[in-house]
Amino acid sequence: MSSLLPPNAPSFGGPLSRLFGRIMLRMVGMKVGGTVPDVPKAILLGLPHTSNWDLLLAMGMKYALGLNYSWMMKKEAFFFPFGGMFKAMGGIPIDRKAAKDVVGQMEDWFAANEKAWIGITPEGTRTKVDRYKKGYLRIAYATGVPVFIVGVDSVTRTLVFDQFMDLTGDIEVDNHQIREFVRSKYTGLKPENS
């Protein structure tokens, strides 16, 4: 996959950070494939999330492509000296006790940024689950931001920029459809946890 991003995708960094990202991916024997969508806002679902190595994959992909996407983390984790590092890596501090819930905070975040992508792992854990958590869909419905699948293919050792998912607005139907789509195509680094 070319390291050139489409013009509407949020970008950052330069040759050194992209080299750093490629080295991270090589460390785990992975590469990036598919087509990065040409949109200014997206919810990237990294699926399936089966291993502690998935964070390295996500950061390696981000830096290798120079693709500036963010991720949510509880605000309590943003303490010195790690807070600045997490923010520099794309972390968004979420206040779980705020008057606005997580969806409301993400509505504000998307509204405040011209180009804004966020990566989410809807399993919420690295172990096998029967269903995904639905917060990503609540965010998508509230913001109108499209949901895009980035699949972890352990067979070809590829992180695949796959496709946007058509949403019906029925949270149960959409959650099931996305889970079945991922289960039919991707296995993750630890297939037993898929």
Side-chain angles (χ1 to χ4, degrees):
M1 167 176 257
S2 169
S3 63
L4 296 176
L5 295 176
N8 287 307
S11 63
F12 79 105
L16 285 179
S17 60
R18 286 192 283 280
L19 175 63
F20 173 68
R22 288 193 298 273
I23 290 169
M24 289 173 73
L25 290 177
R26 279 191 204 123
M27 285 173 56
V28 288
M30 297 292 284
K31 61 185 180 285
V32 179
T35 302
V36 176
D38 189 15
V39 295
K41 297 185 181 185
I43 297 170
L44 299 179
L45 299 186
L47 295 160
H49 177 36
T50 62
S51 166
N52 287 330
W53 289 100
D54 291 346
L55 176 61
L56 184 64
L57 297 181
M59 291 296 105
M61 181 182 79
K62 174 182 175 117
Y63 283 88
L65 296 175
L67 179 59
N68 193 15
Y69 66 87
S70 297
W71 40 276
M72 294 179 285
M73 189 174 194
K74 62 184 180 181
K75 76 168 192 168
E76 291 81 9
F78 287 78
F79 59 87
F80 182 82
F82 302 109
M85 179 185 71
F86 289 150
K87 284 184 182 177
M89 292 171 59
I92 303 169
I94 296 295
D95 185 350
R96 294 179 296 176
K97 296 175 186 169
K100 282 194 174 181
D101 63 7
V102 173
V103 173
Q105 290 173 62
M106 292 313 301
E107 280 184 282
D108 291 347
W109 182 78
F110 274 113
N113 292 283
E114 186 179 322
K115 291 185 177 183
W117 287 23
I118 188 161
I120 297 176
T121 55
E123 293 101 332
T125 180
R126 292 170 302 279
T127 58
K128 189 170 186 168
V129 296
D130 292 328
R131 65 188 63 178
Y132 295 156
K133 294 187 174 187
K134 300 172 192 154
Y136 73 98
L137 285 169
R138 291 186 181 96
I139 294 168
Y141 297 156
T143 61
V145 173
V147 171
F148 190 89
I149 302 295
V150 179
V152 180
D153 188 337
S154 63
V155 175
T156 64
R157 307 296 292 175
T158 307
L159 301 172
V160 181
F161 278 83
D162 196 321
Q163 69 175 51
F164 286 107
M165 298 303 294
D166 292 326
L167 303 180
T168 66
D170 182 318
I171 200 163
E172 298 297 337
V173 168
D174 292 339
N175 204 34
H176 178 75
Q177 169 196 336
I178 290 168
R179 179 160 158 59
E180 290 308 304
F181 174 81
V182 171
R183 289 183 75 189
S184 72
K185 293 186 75 171
Y186 299 108
T187 54
L189 292 181
K190 290 188 174 179
E192 65 274 16
N193 291 343
S194 292

